[in-house]
Amino acid sequence: MAAMAAPVLCMALVALAAAVSIGEAAVVEHTFVVHEMNVTHLCNTTKIYVVNGQFPGPTLDVTDGDTVVVRVANRLDHGLTIHWHGVRQIRSCWADGAGFVTECPIPPGGDHTYRFNLTGQVGTLWWHAHVTCLRATINGAIVVRPKDGRYPFPAPAGDVPVLIGEWWQLDLLELDRRMADGNFDDNPLSATINGKLGDLSNCSGAPEESLVLDVVRGETYLLRIVNTALFSEYYFKVAGHTFTVVGADANYLTPFETDMVTVAPGEAIDVLLTADAPPGHYHMVALANQPPEPDLQIPLFVSRGLVRYAGVRGDNNGLPVPVPLMPDQHNTMPSYYFHGNLTGLAYPGRHRVPAHVDERLFVTLGLGSLCRGGRTACKRRRSNETIVVATMNNVSFHHPTTTALLERYYDGASEGVYTEDFPDNPPRPYNYTNRDLIPPGPLEEALEPTFKATKLRRFRYNTSVEIVFQSTALLQSDSNPMHLHGYDFFVLAQGLGNFNPKRDVKKFNYHNPQLRNTVQVPRTGWAAVRFVTDNPGMWYLHCHFEFHIAMGMATAFIVENGPTPETSLPPPPPEFKRCGANGLTQP
Ligand SMILES: *[C@@H]1O[C@H](CO)[C@@H](O)[C@H](O)[C@H]1NC(C)=O
Ligand SMILES: *[C@@H]1O[C@H](CO)[C@@H](O)[C@H](O)[C@H]1NC(C)=O
Ligand SMILES: *[C@@H]1O[C@H](CO)[C@@H](O)[C@H](O)[C@H]1NC(C)=O
Ligand SMILES: *[C@@H]1O[C@H](CO)[C@@H](O)[C@H](O)[C@H]1NC(C)=O
Ligand SMILES: *[C@@H]1O[C@H](CO)[C@@H](O)[C@H](O)[C@H]1NC(C)=O
Ligand SMILES: *[C@@H]1O[C@H](CO)[C@@H](O)[C@H](O)[C@H]1NC(C)=O
Ligand SMILES: *[C@@H]1O[C@H](CO)[C@@H](O)[C@H](O)[C@H]1NC(C)=O
Ligand SMILES: *[C@@H]1O[C@H](CO)[C@@H](O)[C@H](O)[C@H]1NC(C)=O
Ligand SMILES: *[C@@H]1O[C@H](CO)[C@@H](O)[C@H](O)[C@H]1NC(C)=O
Ligand SMILES: [Cu+2]
């Protein structure tokens, strides 16, 4: 509960934010100092890694069309990058901040300036560290306001980022080392809302602080809900209230009324909350969901906050505070329905779904195993002779650790670093969602052997790409929030079970699908997306569950230059630091 920031250090670290107007668009400048900080929760003082003494970190508040300049000063003993999650980075792939994909990490003591434009995206995005698990505490919201100040809904009276995350007692660098060793047994201690564990957690009876949202009866508030957690999808509810969902991933949605929001890691959901209940106090709850057994089970994670009407006594006028009724933590269907009900808002000039498809990919997502010690044969089925890894089309991504893929591509020096043969289809079709693939089986043994490689997929400029992601039951039955850097894709449809082109293409929504940078691929189900390769560069594609990415559920798309300078990736900007400069390869 007591956040003990080192006082002397933090005084010097106050965010330096300035906005300089150039005509209509502004240049929004920040300095992010990344440093260690001791924080006490549940009677235990933990070292965490933060920006400018804040957890969550500072909000970037910009207007559509602005230029963002962030100088990151790394005061950790560990390298890191900052990724601007969901920012399209058109012709500015060099500023994407994906560690070892678009740049080598900023070394300890080093600094780096990210410069990019935020154009044509309005709503909520976020930023986070993109090397290792540090992103659990190094993250913050990006708020993008419309140019003319006009929303396609009544202007809200207030505007609040609601960042749902996790509190880890284990040191995040230690967590990373353990995951790199194939150890995935660690869990956070609690869910958090804006860094607060909430009053359901206590140490010797002293409750943790809760997020409090003060409201005035009759007013409407815009909640910008982001899942910054490493591990879980969350259900979010406020007792006695409903939400109108109006946006996701900085794209407007057709207004959708619901009493519960589902948010998977990497997703950002904008909702309106009207304070139209009898004045009082109401609990809000964020609850993690998880697949039922026989999947491995994790503890229940929950954080509770409060919506507090003005003019109500601190004791809620002596009345009990209503608590929202949450779904069972093992019931993932509310997530499936929530995502299935979202559509894009129709407005003039809206992006159109590409009518034709040039390239089709069908990508299976699941786990696999390698034999320890580089052996080729070993006992499988969760035996301790194996290391469990994650795969896309049976390739487990080998993350480079000394060089950056974009640089190698730009220099034409891919040899020994990556190949371009990421498969368009699973090499071996099987019943992807057969429950007998989940240990104790008995069918997984034949399918789980896999391998590590850095296999990428190259596309020509202006290619219409369709991807069907298929979540499998191989060794587990998790959902997979798939995030593509540098792009928004149309989510055409989702379904349960195995994707069947004959039956399921009929379900595709070409009329008003949502545009997202992250698609929640349902557990033992599929999701179909489509986009045009209009942004040249090297774009990371990965599951946003941190354990899945660490295990290899990732690849990258190379998008070639188009025919003109306006359709080509410019050379690295002057502030870009090549790998190898100042020891930039150290993770
Ligand atoms: C955190 O606490 C440890 C142990 O008490 C101490 O050595 C360290 O200097 C503290 N770090 C900061 C940033 O205050
Ligand atoms: C960003 O916008 C500025 C001002 O409009 C422009 O000069 C600059 O070229 C843009 N940068 C990129 C990478 O598009
Ligand atoms: C405090 O956290 C550390 C890990 O960071 C753990 O080893 C220790 O057991 C915790 N102590 C208590 C009292 O929970
Ligand atoms: C403290 O937490 C324990 C276990 O989570 C719970 O049983 C107890 O009721 C809590 N106490 C208070 C005062 O909230
Ligand atoms: C929308 O939600 C309702 C109620 O949860 C559900 O019955 C329906 O199937 C959902 N629609 C889609 C397309 O998923
Ligand atoms: C693996 O498990 C077996 C049986 O449970 C045990 O005997 C053996 O010591 C373990 N090996 C390692 C390397 O942990
Ligand atoms: C695939 O597995 C599922 C779940 O176990 C089962 O219901 C389905 O019938 C299987 N499909 C085929 C084609 O065998
Ligand atoms: C995955 O690749 C490995 C190694 O090439 C192979 O043995 C295995 O059969 C493949 N599994 C699947 C499901 O394609
Ligand atoms: C992209 O391709 C479409 C046809 O698929 C064509 O009409 C359009 O002019 C192309 N755009 C560019 C910028 O090359
Ligand atoms: Cu990301």
Side-chain angles (χ1 to χ4, degrees), residues 466-521:
E466 183 175 289
I467 308 176
V468 175
F469 292 109
Q470 173 76 56
S471 290
T472 70
L474 196 42
L475 301 180
Q476 44 77 62
S477 68
D478 258 328
S479 60
N480 296 285
M482 297 304 293
H483 172 52
L484 176 59
H485 290 212
Y487 284 88
D488 284 340
F489 39 58
F490 289 103
V491 180
L492 300 180
Q494 62 169 8
L496 298 177
N498 301 332
F499 176 70
N500 174 341
K502 283 209 186 77
R503 179 191 64 205
D504 293 328
V505 168
K506 293 190 199 105
K507 289 173 61 179
F508 284 12
N509 174 6
Y510 300 111
H511 166 61
N512 65 348
Q514 38 170 345
L515 260 180
R516 304 295 301 266
N517 64 55
T518 303
V519 59
Q520 171 65 324
V521 185

Short mmCIF file of all heavy atoms in Angstrom, two decimals, residues 466-521:
data_model
loop_
_atom_site.label_atom_id
_atom_site.label_comp_id
_atom_site.label_asym_id
_atom_site.label_seq_id
_atom_site.Cartn_x
_atom_site.Cartn_y
_atom_site.Cartn_z
N GLU A 466 -4.75 -12.20 -45.86
CA GLU A 466 -5.74 -12.72 -44.92
C GLU A 466 -5.06 -13.77 -44.05
O GLU A 466 -4.35 -14.64 -44.56
CB GLU A 466 -6.90 -13.34 -45.68
CG GLU A 466 -8.00 -13.85 -44.76
CD GLU A 466 -9.20 -14.36 -45.56
OE1 GLU A 466 -9.92 -13.54 -46.15
OE2 GLU A 466 -9.37 -15.60 -45.61
N ILE A 467 -5.28 -13.67 -42.76
CA ILE A 467 -4.73 -14.67 -41.84
C ILE A 467 -5.87 -15.24 -41.02
O ILE A 467 -6.66 -14.49 -40.44
CB ILE A 467 -3.70 -14.07 -40.87
CG1 ILE A 467 -2.61 -13.30 -41.61
CG2 ILE A 467 -3.06 -15.18 -40.02
CD1 ILE A 467 -1.62 -12.60 -40.67
N VAL A 468 -5.94 -16.56 -40.98
CA VAL A 468 -6.82 -17.21 -40.02
C VAL A 468 -5.91 -17.79 -38.93
O VAL A 468 -5.04 -18.61 -39.22
CB VAL A 468 -7.68 -18.31 -40.67
CG1 VAL A 468 -8.48 -19.04 -39.60
CG2 VAL A 468 -8.58 -17.72 -41.74
N PHE A 469 -6.09 -17.28 -37.72
CA PHE A 469 -5.36 -17.82 -36.57
C PHE A 469 -6.22 -18.91 -35.93
O PHE A 469 -7.41 -18.71 -35.68
CB PHE A 469 -5.12 -16.73 -35.53
CG PHE A 469 -4.17 -15.64 -35.95
CD1 PHE A 469 -4.64 -14.37 -36.23
CD2 PHE A 469 -2.81 -15.89 -36.07
CE1 PHE A 469 -3.77 -13.35 -36.60
CE2 PHE A 469 -1.93 -14.88 -36.44
CZ PHE A 469 -2.41 -13.61 -36.71
N GLN A 470 -5.60 -20.03 -35.65
CA GLN A 470 -6.30 -21.16 -35.04
C GLN A 470 -5.64 -21.47 -33.69
O GLN A 470 -4.48 -21.90 -33.66
CB GLN A 470 -6.21 -22.38 -35.96
CG GLN A 470 -6.77 -23.66 -35.36
CD GLN A 470 -8.30 -23.68 -35.35
OE1 GLN A 470 -8.94 -23.54 -36.38
NE2 GLN A 470 -8.88 -23.86 -34.17
N SER A 471 -6.35 -21.24 -32.60
CA SER A 471 -5.84 -21.66 -31.28
C SER A 471 -6.02 -23.17 -31.17
O SER A 471 -7.10 -23.69 -31.43
CB SER A 471 -6.62 -20.99 -30.15
OG SER A 471 -6.35 -19.62 -30.07
N THR A 472 -4.97 -23.86 -30.78
CA THR A 472 -5.05 -25.31 -30.69
C THR A 472 -5.13 -25.76 -29.22
O THR A 472 -4.94 -24.95 -28.31
CB THR A 472 -3.82 -25.98 -31.33
OG1 THR A 472 -2.68 -25.73 -30.49
CG2 THR A 472 -3.57 -25.46 -32.73
N ALA A 473 -5.37 -27.03 -29.05
CA ALA A 473 -5.41 -27.63 -27.71
C ALA A 473 -4.11 -28.38 -27.42
O ALA A 473 -4.05 -29.18 -26.49
CB ALA A 473 -6.61 -28.57 -27.59
N LEU A 474 -3.08 -28.10 -28.21
CA LEU A 474 -1.84 -28.84 -28.05
C LEU A 474 -1.14 -28.44 -26.74
O LEU A 474 -0.64 -27.32 -26.61
CB LEU A 474 -0.93 -28.61 -29.26
CG LEU A 474 0.24 -29.56 -29.46
CD1 LEU A 474 -0.13 -31.02 -29.20
CD2 LEU A 474 0.82 -29.41 -30.85
N LEU A 475 -1.17 -29.32 -25.78
CA LEU A 475 -0.57 -29.21 -24.44
C LEU A 475 -1.28 -28.22 -23.51
O LEU A 475 -0.91 -28.07 -22.36
CB LEU A 475 0.93 -28.86 -24.52
CG LEU A 475 1.83 -29.84 -25.29
CD1 LEU A 475 3.27 -29.35 -25.27
CD2 LEU A 475 1.77 -31.24 -24.70
N GLN A 476 -2.26 -27.47 -24.01
CA GLN A 476 -3.04 -26.51 -23.20
C GLN A 476 -4.16 -26.01 -24.09
O GLN A 476 -4.18 -26.30 -25.28
CB GLN A 476 -2.17 -25.32 -22.77
CG GLN A 476 -1.28 -24.77 -23.86
CD GLN A 476 -1.98 -23.91 -24.90
OE1 GLN A 476 -2.53 -22.88 -24.56
NE2 GLN A 476 -1.96 -24.33 -26.16
N SER A 477 -5.08 -25.24 -23.53
CA SER A 477 -6.17 -24.74 -24.37
C SER A 477 -6.41 -23.24 -24.17
O SER A 477 -7.54 -22.78 -24.12
CB SER A 477 -7.45 -25.53 -24.10
OG SER A 477 -7.93 -25.27 -22.80
N ASP A 478 -5.31 -22.48 -24.06
CA ASP A 478 -5.41 -21.03 -23.88
C ASP A 478 -5.94 -20.33 -25.13
O ASP A 478 -5.75 -20.81 -26.25
CB ASP A 478 -4.02 -20.45 -23.61
CG ASP A 478 -3.80 -20.15 -22.14
OD1 ASP A 478 -4.77 -19.82 -21.46
OD2 ASP A 478 -2.64 -20.27 -21.70
N SER A 479 -6.51 -19.14 -24.88
CA SER A 479 -6.74 -18.20 -25.97
C SER A 479 -5.39 -17.56 -26.31
O SER A 479 -4.41 -17.76 -25.59
CB SER A 479 -7.71 -17.11 -25.51
OG SER A 479 -7.15 -16.43 -24.40
N ASN A 480 -5.34 -16.79 -27.41
CA ASN A 480 -4.09 -16.15 -27.80
C ASN A 480 -4.36 -14.74 -28.35
O ASN A 480 -4.85 -14.61 -29.47
CB ASN A 480 -3.38 -16.98 -28.89
CG ASN A 480 -2.97 -18.34 -28.37
OD1 ASN A 480 -2.00 -18.47 -27.63
ND2 ASN A 480 -3.73 -19.37 -28.73
N PRO A 481 -4.06 -13.71 -27.55
CA PRO A 481 -4.22 -12.35 -28.07
C PRO A 481 -3.07 -12.00 -29.03
O PRO A 481 -1.97 -11.66 -28.58
CB PRO A 481 -4.19 -11.48 -26.81
CG PRO A 481 -3.49 -12.29 -25.77
CD PRO A 481 -3.68 -13.74 -26.13
N MET A 482 -3.32 -12.09 -30.32
CA MET A 482 -2.25 -11.91 -31.32
C MET A 482 -2.15 -10.43 -31.70
O MET A 482 -3.12 -9.81 -32.10
CB MET A 482 -2.53 -12.76 -32.56
CG MET A 482 -2.54 -14.25 -32.28
SD MET A 482 -1.01 -14.88 -31.52
CE MET A 482 0.18 -14.64 -32.84
N HIS A 483 -0.94 -9.91 -31.59
CA HIS A 483 -0.68 -8.48 -31.81
C HIS A 483 0.29 -8.30 -32.97
O HIS A 483 1.36 -8.90 -32.98
CB HIS A 483 -0.10 -7.88 -30.52
CG HIS A 483 0.38 -6.48 -30.66
ND1 HIS A 483 -0.38 -5.47 -31.19
CD2 HIS A 483 1.56 -5.90 -30.32
CE1 HIS A 483 0.31 -4.34 -31.18
NE2 HIS A 483 1.48 -4.57 -30.65
N LEU A 484 -0.13 -7.50 -33.96
CA LEU A 484 0.76 -7.19 -35.09
C LEU A 484 1.21 -5.74 -34.96
O LEU A 484 0.39 -4.83 -34.85
CB LEU A 484 0.00 -7.40 -36.41
CG LEU A 484 0.75 -7.03 -37.70
CD1 LEU A 484 2.05 -7.83 -37.86
CD2 LEU A 484 -0.15 -7.22 -38.92
N HIS A 485 2.52 -5.54 -34.99
CA HIS A 485 3.05 -4.17 -34.93
C HIS A 485 2.87 -3.49 -36.29
O HIS A 485 2.89 -4.13 -37.33
CB HIS A 485 4.55 -4.21 -34.60
CG HIS A 485 4.86 -4.64 -33.20
ND1 HIS A 485 5.95 -4.17 -32.49
CD2 HIS A 485 4.21 -5.48 -32.35
CE1 HIS A 485 5.96 -4.71 -31.28
NE2 HIS A 485 4.93 -5.52 -31.17
N GLY A 486 2.69 -2.16 -36.25
CA GLY A 486 2.69 -1.36 -37.48
C GLY A 486 1.41 -1.41 -38.29
O GLY A 486 1.32 -0.76 -39.33
N TYR A 487 0.42 -2.16 -37.83
CA TYR A 487 -0.81 -2.33 -38.62
C TYR A 487 -2.04 -2.38 -37.72
O TYR A 487 -1.96 -2.76 -36.55
CB TYR A 487 -0.76 -3.64 -39.43
CG TYR A 487 0.13 -3.51 -40.64
CD1 TYR A 487 1.49 -3.77 -40.57
CD2 TYR A 487 -0.41 -3.06 -41.84
CE1 TYR A 487 2.32 -3.59 -41.67
CE2 TYR A 487 0.41 -2.88 -42.95
CZ TYR A 487 1.77 -3.15 -42.85
OH TYR A 487 2.57 -2.96 -43.94
N ASP A 488 -3.18 -2.02 -38.32
CA ASP A 488 -4.48 -2.40 -37.79
C ASP A 488 -5.05 -3.39 -38.80
O ASP A 488 -4.88 -3.18 -40.01
CB ASP A 488 -5.43 -1.19 -37.72
CG ASP A 488 -5.10 -0.28 -36.54
OD1 ASP A 488 -4.43 -0.72 -35.58
OD2 ASP A 488 -5.50 0.90 -36.60
N PHE A 489 -5.66 -4.44 -38.34
CA PHE A 489 -6.31 -5.37 -39.28
C PHE A 489 -7.81 -5.41 -39.02
O PHE A 489 -8.27 -5.12 -37.91
CB PHE A 489 -5.70 -6.77 -39.22
CG PHE A 489 -5.31 -7.29 -37.86
CD1 PHE A 489 -6.25 -7.41 -36.84
CD2 PHE A 489 -4.00 -7.70 -37.61
CE1 PHE A 489 -5.90 -7.90 -35.59
CE2 PHE A 489 -3.64 -8.20 -36.35
CZ PHE A 489 -4.59 -8.29 -35.36
N PHE A 490 -8.56 -5.74 -40.05
CA PHE A 490 -9.98 -5.96 -39.88
C PHE A 490 -10.18 -7.34 -39.28
O PHE A 490 -9.59 -8.32 -39.77
CB PHE A 490 -10.71 -5.90 -41.22
CG PHE A 490 -10.78 -4.52 -41.82
CD1 PHE A 490 -9.93 -4.15 -42.85
CD2 PHE A 490 -11.67 -3.59 -41.32
CE1 PHE A 490 -9.99 -2.87 -43.39
CE2 PHE A 490 -11.74 -2.31 -41.85
CZ PHE A 490 -10.89 -1.95 -42.89
N VAL A 491 -11.00 -7.43 -38.24
CA VAL A 491 -11.33 -8.74 -37.68
C VAL A 491 -12.64 -9.17 -38.34
O VAL A 491 -13.71 -8.62 -38.05
CB VAL A 491 -11.47 -8.68 -36.15
CG1 VAL A 491 -11.81 -10.05 -35.59
CG2 VAL A 491 -10.18 -8.15 -35.52
N LEU A 492 -12.56 -10.13 -39.25
CA LEU A 492 -13.71 -10.48 -40.09
C LEU A 492 -14.68 -11.42 -39.37
O LEU A 492 -15.89 -11.34 -39.59
CB LEU A 492 -13.24 -11.14 -41.39
CG LEU A 492 -12.34 -10.28 -42.28
CD1 LEU A 492 -11.96 -11.04 -43.54
CD2 LEU A 492 -13.02 -8.96 -42.65
N ALA A 493 -14.14 -12.32 -38.57
CA ALA A 493 -15.02 -13.27 -37.86
C ALA A 493 -14.19 -14.06 -36.87
O ALA A 493 -12.95 -14.06 -36.91
CB ALA A 493 -15.68 -14.23 -38.85
N GLN A 494 -14.90 -14.72 -35.97
CA GLN A 494 -14.28 -15.67 -35.04
C GLN A 494 -15.21 -16.86 -34.92
O GLN A 494 -16.39 -16.78 -35.28
CB GLN A 494 -14.06 -15.01 -33.68
CG GLN A 494 -15.39 -14.59 -33.03
CD GLN A 494 -15.25 -14.17 -31.58
OE1 GLN A 494 -14.16 -14.04 -31.06
NE2 GLN A 494 -16.38 -13.98 -30.91
N GLY A 495 -14.68 -17.96 -34.42
CA GLY A 495 -15.53 -19.13 -34.22
C GLY A 495 -14.88 -20.08 -33.24
O GLY A 495 -13.72 -19.92 -32.88
N LEU A 496 -15.67 -21.06 -32.81
CA LEU A 496 -15.14 -22.09 -31.91
C LEU A 496 -14.84 -23.34 -32.72
O LEU A 496 -15.43 -23.56 -33.79
CB LEU A 496 -16.15 -22.39 -30.80
CG LEU A 496 -16.47 -21.20 -29.89
CD1 LEU A 496 -17.55 -21.59 -28.88
CD2 LEU A 496 -15.22 -20.69 -29.17
N GLY A 497 -13.91 -24.15 -32.24
CA GLY A 497 -13.55 -25.38 -32.93
C GLY A 497 -12.58 -25.09 -34.07
O GLY A 497 -11.94 -24.05 -34.12
N ASN A 498 -12.49 -26.04 -35.00
CA ASN A 498 -11.56 -25.90 -36.12
C ASN A 498 -12.17 -25.02 -37.21
O ASN A 498 -13.34 -25.17 -37.55
CB ASN A 498 -11.26 -27.27 -36.73
CG ASN A 498 -10.65 -28.21 -35.72
OD1 ASN A 498 -9.98 -27.78 -34.77
ND2 ASN A 498 -10.87 -29.50 -35.90
N PHE A 499 -11.36 -24.12 -37.75
CA PHE A 499 -11.82 -23.29 -38.86
C PHE A 499 -12.12 -24.19 -40.06
O PHE A 499 -11.33 -25.05 -40.41
CB PHE A 499 -10.73 -22.28 -39.24
CG PHE A 499 -11.07 -21.45 -40.43
CD1 PHE A 499 -12.07 -20.48 -40.35
CD2 PHE A 499 -10.41 -21.63 -41.65
CE1 PHE A 499 -12.40 -19.71 -41.46
CE2 PHE A 499 -10.73 -20.85 -42.75
CZ PHE A 499 -11.73 -19.89 -42.66
N ASN A 500 -13.29 -23.95 -40.65
CA ASN A 500 -13.69 -24.74 -41.81
C ASN A 500 -14.04 -23.75 -42.92
O ASN A 500 -15.07 -23.08 -42.86
CB ASN A 500 -14.91 -25.59 -41.43
CG ASN A 500 -15.50 -26.33 -42.61
OD1 ASN A 500 -15.26 -25.99 -43.77
ND2 ASN A 500 -16.28 -27.34 -42.31
N PRO A 501 -13.17 -23.62 -43.94
CA PRO A 501 -13.38 -22.57 -44.94
C PRO A 501 -14.75 -22.67 -45.61
O PRO A 501 -15.40 -21.64 -45.83
CB PRO A 501 -12.25 -22.78 -45.96
CG PRO A 501 -11.45 -23.93 -45.50
CD PRO A 501 -11.96 -24.40 -44.17
N LYS A 502 -15.19 -23.88 -45.90
CA LYS A 502 -16.49 -24.03 -46.59
C LYS A 502 -17.63 -23.42 -45.78
O LYS A 502 -18.49 -22.74 -46.30
CB LYS A 502 -16.78 -25.52 -46.78
CG LYS A 502 -15.99 -26.11 -47.93
CD LYS A 502 -16.75 -27.28 -48.57
CE LYS A 502 -15.90 -27.96 -49.63
NZ LYS A 502 -14.87 -28.84 -49.01
N ARG A 503 -17.59 -23.64 -44.48
CA ARG A 503 -18.69 -23.20 -43.62
C ARG A 503 -18.47 -21.78 -43.11
O ARG A 503 -19.40 -20.98 -43.04
CB ARG A 503 -18.76 -24.17 -42.43
CG ARG A 503 -19.82 -23.88 -41.40
CD ARG A 503 -19.59 -24.75 -40.15
NE ARG A 503 -18.32 -24.41 -39.51
CZ ARG A 503 -17.61 -25.25 -38.75
NH1 ARG A 503 -18.02 -26.48 -38.53
NH2 ARG A 503 -16.46 -24.86 -38.20
N ASP A 504 -17.22 -21.44 -42.76
CA ASP A 504 -17.00 -20.25 -41.95
C ASP A 504 -16.80 -18.95 -42.73
O ASP A 504 -17.03 -17.87 -42.19
CB ASP A 504 -15.81 -20.49 -41.01
CG ASP A 504 -16.13 -21.55 -39.97
OD1 ASP A 504 -17.31 -21.64 -39.56
OD2 ASP A 504 -15.21 -22.31 -39.57
N VAL A 505 -16.37 -19.05 -43.98
CA VAL A 505 -16.18 -17.83 -44.77
C VAL A 505 -17.51 -17.07 -44.89
O VAL A 505 -17.53 -15.84 -44.98
CB VAL A 505 -15.55 -18.17 -46.14
CG1 VAL A 505 -15.61 -16.99 -47.08
CG2 VAL A 505 -14.11 -18.63 -45.95
N LYS A 506 -18.58 -17.81 -44.85
CA LYS A 506 -19.92 -17.19 -44.91
C LYS A 506 -20.18 -16.23 -43.74
O LYS A 506 -21.01 -15.34 -43.82
CB LYS A 506 -21.01 -18.27 -44.90
CG LYS A 506 -21.01 -19.14 -46.13
CD LYS A 506 -22.27 -20.02 -46.16
CE LYS A 506 -22.08 -21.20 -47.11
NZ LYS A 506 -21.85 -22.47 -46.40
N LYS A 507 -19.46 -16.47 -42.63
CA LYS A 507 -19.66 -15.62 -41.45
C LYS A 507 -18.87 -14.31 -41.52
O LYS A 507 -19.01 -13.46 -40.65
CB LYS A 507 -19.18 -16.37 -40.19
CG LYS A 507 -20.07 -17.53 -39.78
CD LYS A 507 -19.46 -18.33 -38.64
CE LYS A 507 -19.24 -17.55 -37.35
NZ LYS A 507 -18.65 -18.41 -36.29
N PHE A 508 -18.00 -14.16 -42.52
CA PHE A 508 -17.12 -12.99 -42.54
C PHE A 508 -17.93 -11.70 -42.68
O PHE A 508 -18.83 -11.60 -43.51
CB PHE A 508 -16.11 -13.08 -43.70
CG PHE A 508 -14.98 -14.05 -43.45
CD1 PHE A 508 -15.02 -14.96 -42.39
CD2 PHE A 508 -13.87 -14.08 -44.29
CE1 PHE A 508 -13.98 -15.86 -42.17
CE2 PHE A 508 -12.83 -14.97 -44.08
CZ PHE A 508 -12.88 -15.86 -43.02
N ASN A 509 -17.59 -10.73 -41.87
CA ASN A 509 -18.22 -9.41 -41.91
C ASN A 509 -17.36 -8.49 -42.77
O ASN A 509 -16.31 -8.04 -42.33
CB ASN A 509 -18.35 -8.87 -40.48
CG ASN A 509 -18.87 -7.45 -40.44
OD1 ASN A 509 -19.23 -6.88 -41.46
ND2 ASN A 509 -18.91 -6.87 -39.24
N TYR A 510 -17.81 -8.21 -44.00
CA TYR A 510 -17.08 -7.30 -44.87
C TYR A 510 -17.63 -5.88 -44.74
O TYR A 510 -17.07 -4.95 -45.29
CB TYR A 510 -17.19 -7.73 -46.33
CG TYR A 510 -16.65 -9.11 -46.60
CD1 TYR A 510 -17.49 -10.17 -46.93
CD2 TYR A 510 -15.28 -9.36 -46.54
CE1 TYR A 510 -16.99 -11.44 -47.17
CE2 TYR A 510 -14.77 -10.63 -46.77
CZ TYR A 510 -15.64 -11.67 -47.09
OH TYR A 510 -15.14 -12.91 -47.32
N HIS A 511 -18.77 -5.76 -44.05
CA HIS A 511 -19.50 -4.50 -44.02
C HIS A 511 -18.93 -3.53 -42.97
O HIS A 511 -18.53 -2.42 -43.30
CB HIS A 511 -20.98 -4.82 -43.77
CG HIS A 511 -21.78 -3.63 -43.39
ND1 HIS A 511 -21.92 -2.54 -44.23
CD2 HIS A 511 -22.48 -3.34 -42.25
CE1 HIS A 511 -22.67 -1.64 -43.62
NE2 HIS A 511 -23.01 -2.08 -42.43
N ASN A 512 -18.87 -3.97 -41.71
CA ASN A 512 -18.39 -3.05 -40.66
C ASN A 512 -17.55 -3.78 -39.60
O ASN A 512 -17.80 -3.64 -38.40
CB ASN A 512 -19.57 -2.31 -40.01
CG ASN A 512 -20.50 -3.26 -39.26
OD1 ASN A 512 -20.40 -4.48 -39.41
ND2 ASN A 512 -21.40 -2.72 -38.46
N PRO A 513 -16.54 -4.54 -40.04
CA PRO A 513 -15.73 -5.22 -39.02
C PRO A 513 -14.91 -4.22 -38.22
O PRO A 513 -14.64 -3.11 -38.68
CB PRO A 513 -14.81 -6.11 -39.87
CG PRO A 513 -14.69 -5.40 -41.17
CD PRO A 513 -16.02 -4.73 -41.40
N GLN A 514 -14.53 -4.60 -37.01
CA GLN A 514 -13.66 -3.74 -36.20
C GLN A 514 -12.23 -3.78 -36.74
O GLN A 514 -11.79 -4.78 -37.30
CB GLN A 514 -13.69 -4.16 -34.73
CG GLN A 514 -13.75 -5.64 -34.51
CD GLN A 514 -13.54 -6.06 -33.06
OE1 GLN A 514 -13.08 -5.29 -32.23
NE2 GLN A 514 -13.87 -7.29 -32.77
N LEU A 515 -11.55 -2.66 -36.56
CA LEU A 515 -10.13 -2.54 -36.92
C LEU A 515 -9.34 -2.61 -35.62
O LEU A 515 -9.57 -1.80 -34.73
CB LEU A 515 -9.86 -1.18 -37.55
CG LEU A 515 -9.76 -1.03 -39.05
CD1 LEU A 515 -9.50 0.43 -39.40
CD2 LEU A 515 -8.66 -1.91 -39.64
N ARG A 516 -8.42 -3.57 -35.51
CA ARG A 516 -7.71 -3.79 -34.25
C ARG A 516 -6.23 -4.01 -34.52
O ARG A 516 -5.84 -4.44 -35.60
CB ARG A 516 -8.27 -5.05 -33.55
CG ARG A 516 -9.76 -5.06 -33.28
CD ARG A 516 -10.18 -3.99 -32.30
NE ARG A 516 -9.50 -4.15 -31.03
CZ ARG A 516 -10.02 -4.83 -29.99
NH1 ARG A 516 -11.22 -5.39 -30.09
NH2 ARG A 516 -9.35 -4.93 -28.86
N ASN A 517 -5.40 -3.74 -33.50
CA ASN A 517 -3.99 -4.16 -33.60
C ASN A 517 -3.76 -5.47 -32.87
O ASN A 517 -2.70 -6.07 -32.97
CB ASN A 517 -3.05 -3.06 -33.12
CG ASN A 517 -3.23 -2.74 -31.65
OD1 ASN A 517 -3.14 -3.62 -30.80
ND2 ASN A 517 -3.47 -1.47 -31.33
N THR A 518 -4.76 -5.90 -32.10
CA THR A 518 -4.66 -7.15 -31.33
C THR A 518 -5.97 -7.90 -31.50
O THR A 518 -7.03 -7.30 -31.33
CB THR A 518 -4.43 -6.85 -29.83
OG1 THR A 518 -3.25 -6.05 -29.70
CG2 THR A 518 -4.25 -8.13 -29.02
N VAL A 519 -5.90 -9.16 -31.87
CA VAL A 519 -7.12 -9.95 -31.98
C VAL A 519 -7.06 -11.08 -30.96
O VAL A 519 -6.07 -11.81 -30.88
CB VAL A 519 -7.34 -10.50 -33.41
CG1 VAL A 519 -6.19 -11.39 -33.87
CG2 VAL A 519 -8.67 -11.26 -33.51
N GLN A 520 -8.12 -11.17 -30.16
CA GLN A 520 -8.18 -12.24 -29.17
C GLN A 520 -8.67 -13.50 -29.90
O GLN A 520 -9.85 -13.60 -30.25
CB GLN A 520 -9.11 -11.83 -28.01
CG GLN A 520 -9.44 -12.94 -27.02
CD GLN A 520 -8.23 -13.45 -26.23
OE1 GLN A 520 -7.13 -13.53 -26.75
NE2 GLN A 520 -8.44 -13.81 -24.99
N VAL A 521 -7.76 -14.44 -30.14
CA VAL A 521 -8.14 -15.69 -30.80
C VAL A 521 -8.70 -16.60 -29.71
O VAL A 521 -7.98 -16.96 -28.77
CB VAL A 521 -6.94 -16.35 -31.50
CG1 VAL A 521 -7.38 -17.57 -32.29
CG2 VAL A 521 -6.22 -15.34 -32.40
#
